[in-house]
Amino acid sequence: DYWKNFNQINTSIKLPIYIKVNGRDNSNVSRLENTLDEVNLIYDYYISKFDKDFIYYQIIFNGTPSNFLKSMKDYNYDFDTQNKIWILK
């Protein structure tokens, strides 16, 4: 029972995560969106804005920031998390 309680996910908590992606690499953008579709704890995502260089996503995640980073690391994504808007490396 301890492990069951320890691993429970509270889906009522919806964490907004903001990321910035280089918009010039279409294959990387497409791969990222496919990955976002596959990750179970991602409730929703959308493009909040874009310019000639970058695409800005807002991701609604049902978990902690560290869980998001761990999930994305499993798909070989790494983020610079120094600012409010994380940058995909």
Side-chain angles (χ1 to χ4, degrees), residues 28-86:
N28 194 32
V29 170
S30 179
R31 183 174 160 260
L32 173 66
E33 289 184 359
N34 287 336
T35 301
L36 293 175
D37 287 334
E38 289 180 19
V39 175
N40 289 331
L41 293 177
I42 292 179
Y43 176 75
D44 197 11
Y45 70 91
Y46 59 90
I47 296 173
S48 58
K49 71 178 182 175
F50 61 91
D51 58 29
K52 65 183 180 98
D53 296 319
F54 296 102
I55 300 173
Y56 298 82
Y57 288 89
Q58 180 176 351
I59 300 167
I60 307 301
F61 187 71
N62 292 332
T64 64
S66 60
N67 284 348
F68 174 79
L69 293 172
K70 183 179 178 295
S71 296
M72 296 305 284
K73 194 170 208 73
D74 292 343
Y75 289 94
N76 297 320
Y77 287 105
D78 192 24
F79 293 90
D80 176 1
T81 59
Q82 298 300 314
N83 298 313
K84 180 181 175 184
I85 299 175
W86 297 351

